[in-house]
């Protein structure tokens, strides 16, 4: 457990290997799995899995939760990823423009701790921080905008340079403009009316984001498009920039619930189990090995990678629920190979 910014952060409440062994033991004693559950294959032509139908499912999800409070603010974010606060502080070059990009922003819950951290720092340096948030769901983008406007107003926070926009890095060149150009357009649109207007970045193909947040988004991406998604994230990350990754891990509680409810399951080429929720969205559960393979094959270097094990306490039953997440920090090396 560690404490920073008055938030208690837990990441090793129980031993992952022991938990995994107990789950495997249970599976061995369970009845043979029905054949039809295991045959589902991720087929590009499966209509329910295409990026467009996933965006539709997420639009419906966010329409049902338009108040923006389904996902709670990720208060642990800065404790889990100290590199974010370091980047915001600017290090040796506090006058440089710093771009934080969240992909798959949902209703903005991961943006909240960043905005609060920026607001706390009353120095002019904050004027150089740009927070961009995107999502494949236009409803999510709208919800995020509304939620952040409300937060800034209700809590009298200093308004950051902030924009939300719709984009999906899993789309091909035939389906959408390159993700990097969408991020640069959002960046420049935001900058145009500010004192930073002289520092537009539209030209050139060098990545712009010093920090990219991928928080519970990769698990929702069409499995056959995950490599493309991460490749476009790599293009968009500035050399030396970092990806902060958190997502569902193998044997996480929802995975065991999917299994106990005999939900349709399939497996990715890297062996990760994948399920389709009742509402049509994809839920994938990562191993450390699959996560490393995905990021390293896109050109990232792994800095941190581990399972986080956290007890959630059921308020009614007081039962301890075992959550498993994959935590990762990946860096895009500079052109000379240094990180
Ligand atoms: C589980 S929510 C997580 C939201 C937010 N990151 C958080 O921490 O609460 C996943 C979000 O990712 C978005 N998403 C799913 N696939 C995406 C894709 N291919 N590109 C961009 N966003 C995507 C969904 O619309 C949804 O808002």
């Amino acid at each position: 457990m560690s404490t920073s910014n008055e938030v208690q952060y837990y990441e090793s409440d129980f031993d992952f290997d022991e938990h995994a062994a107990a789950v495997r033991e249970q599976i061995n004693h369970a009845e043979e799995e029905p054949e039809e559950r295991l045959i589902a294959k991720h087929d590009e032509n499966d209509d329910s899995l295409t990026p467009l139908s996933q965006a539709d499912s997420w639009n419906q999800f966010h329409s049902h939760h338009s108040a923006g409070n389904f996902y709670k603010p990720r208060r642990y974010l800065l404790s889990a990823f100290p590199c974010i606060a370091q980047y915001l502080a600017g290090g040796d070059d506090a006058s440089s423009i710093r771009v934080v990009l969240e992909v798959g922003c949902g209703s903005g819950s991961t943006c909240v701790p960043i905005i609060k951290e920026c607001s706390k720092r009353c120095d002019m340096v904050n004027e150089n921080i740009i927070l961009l948030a995107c999502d494949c769901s236009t409803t999510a983008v709208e919800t995020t905008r509304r939620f952040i406007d409300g937060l800034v107003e209700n809590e009298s926070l200093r308004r950051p340079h902030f924009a939300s926009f719709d984009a999906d890095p899993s789309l091909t060149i035939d389906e959408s403009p390159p993700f990097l150009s969408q991020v640069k357009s959002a960046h420049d649109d935001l900058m145009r009316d500010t004192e930073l207007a002289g520092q537009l970045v539209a030209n050139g193909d060098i990545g712009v984001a010093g920090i990219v947040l991928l928080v519970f988004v990769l698990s929702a991406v069409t499995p056959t498009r995950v490599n493309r998604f991460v490749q476009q994230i790599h293009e968009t990350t500035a050399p030396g920039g970092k990806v902060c990754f958190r997502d569902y891990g193998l044997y996480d509680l929802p995975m065991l619930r999917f299994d106990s409810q005999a939900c349709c399951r399939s497996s990715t080429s890297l062996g990760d189990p994948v399920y389709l929720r009742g509402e049509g969205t994809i839920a994938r559960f990562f191993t450390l090995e699959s996560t490393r393979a995905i990021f390293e094959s896109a050109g990232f270097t792994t800095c941190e990678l581990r399972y986080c094990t956290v007890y959630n306490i059921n308020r009614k039953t007081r039962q301890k629920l075992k959550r498993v997440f994959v935590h990762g920090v990946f860096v895009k090396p500079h052109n000379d190979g240094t990180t």
Side-chain angles (χ1 to χ4, degrees):
M1 194 254 282
S2 73
T3 310
S4 134
N5 302 318
E6 293 138 37
V7 176
Q8 292 188 327
Y9 174 62
Y10 299 87
E11 63 162 40
S12 49
D13 283 352
F14 56 92
D15 185 78
F16 174 79
D17 291 331
E18 279 174 22
H19 172 59
V23 172
R24 283 194 210 107
E25 176 80 7
Q26 240 171 357
I27 294 171
N28 284 342
H29 285 101
E31 285 176 26
E32 282 284 298
E33 299 216 50
E35 192 59 9
E36 67 273 18
R37 276 190 55 210
L38 295 169
I39 54 170
K41 279 268 172 288
H42 285 289
D43 175 354
E44 287 257 343
N45 303 317
D46 181 339
D47 285 345
S48 61
L49 295 175
T50 64
L52 291 184
S53 67
Q54 282 299 302
D56 273 350
S57 298
W58 279 107
N59 271 331
Q60 282 175 31
F61 173 88
H62 288 295
S63 302
H64 290 144
H65 302 286
S66 57
N69 53 11
F70 183 83
Y71 300 111
K72 300 285 169 264
R74 309 248 177 235
R75 296 193 314 132
Y76 58 81
L77 192 82
L78 298 179
S79 304
F81 299 103
C83 59
I84 299 176
Q86 281 162 15
Y87 179 69
L88 294 176
D92 293 342
D93 192 7
S95 63
S96 62
I97 293 192
R98 274 151 283 144
V99 179
V100 177
L101 168 69
E102 187 189 6
V103 184
C105 58
S107 49
S109 51
T110 295
C111 294
V112 172
I114 295 185
I115 290 176
K116 288 192 171 177
E117 174 72 11
C118 291
S119 180
K120 253 190 352 205
R121 311 164 57 85
C122 290
D123 44 14
M124 288 302 288
V125 167
N126 274 338
E127 300 299 331
N128 296 340
I129 295 170
I130 296 164
L131 177 58
L132 301 172
C134 70
D135 201 287
C136 65
S137 153
T138 48
T139 318
V141 170
E142 249 329 293
T143 307
T144 297
R145 191 172 298 144
R146 247 195 352 264
F147 185 72
I148 298 300
D149 282 351
L151 175 87
V152 168
E153 194 170 315
N154 296 340
E155 300 197 16
S156 304
L157 302 176
R158 278 157 46 98
R159 177 161 282 283
H161 295 304
F162 173 77
S164 60
F165 59 101
D166 57 296
D168 177 348
S170 80
L171 296 180
T172 63
I173 205 74
D174 298 333
E175 296 166 328
S176 161
F179 183 61
L180 174 59
S181 71
Q182 291 178 289
V183 172
K184 286 186 170 179
S185 300
H187 174 285
D188 286 358
D189 288 347
L190 186 61
M191 291 295 86
R192 216 154 259 131
D193 298 329
T194 73
E195 67 286 1
L196 301 175
Q199 305 191 43
L200 303 184
V201 293
N203 295 324
D205 55 7
I206 297 178
V208 285
I211 293 281
V212 180
L213 302 163
L214 298 183
V215 180
F216 299 108
V217 58
L218 207 59
S219 54
V221 174
T222 301
T224 52
R225 299 293 187 97
V226 160
N227 287 341
R228 169 147 193 87
F229 184 102
V230 179
Q231 189 62 54
Q232 293 220 71
I233 296 297
H234 184 265
E235 281 165 21
T236 307
T237 307
K242 287 179 175 157
V243 172
C244 299
F245 174 81
R246 190 172 178 99
D247 219 318
Y248 305 113
L250 192 72
Y251 306 136
D252 185 18
L253 181 75
M255 173 183 158
L256 306 183
R257 284 197 176 138
F258 281 129
D259 275 343
S260 69
Q261 292 158 6
C263 291
C264 186
R265 182 179 81 192
S266 64
S267 166
T268 67
S269 54
L270 293 169
D272 294 342
V274 178
Y275 305 80
L276 213 50
R277 297 191 183 90
E279 67 211 17
T281 56
I282 294 168
R284 171 179 183 158
F285 294 84
F286 293 91
T287 60
L288 299 188
E289 295 73 21
S290 64
T291 310
R292 181 188 295 279
I294 290 166
F295 281 92
E296 292 190 356
S297 68
F300 286 103
T301 300
T302 303
C303 297
E304 296 173 24
L305 186 60
R306 57 182 178 268
Y307 288 112
C308 291
T309 54
V310 183
Y311 282 130
N312 279 1
I313 312 286
N314 181 309
R315 283 209 197 121
K316 277 191 197 148
T317 62
R318 304 305 299 161
Q319 201 188 355
K320 279 181 174 174
L321 307 172
K322 288 180 169 173
R323 300 302 313 268
V324 179
F325 306 111
V326 171
H327 164 101
V329 176
F330 304 94
V331 66
K332 173 172 171 172
H334 292 275
N335 286 343
D336 63 5
T338 58
T339 53

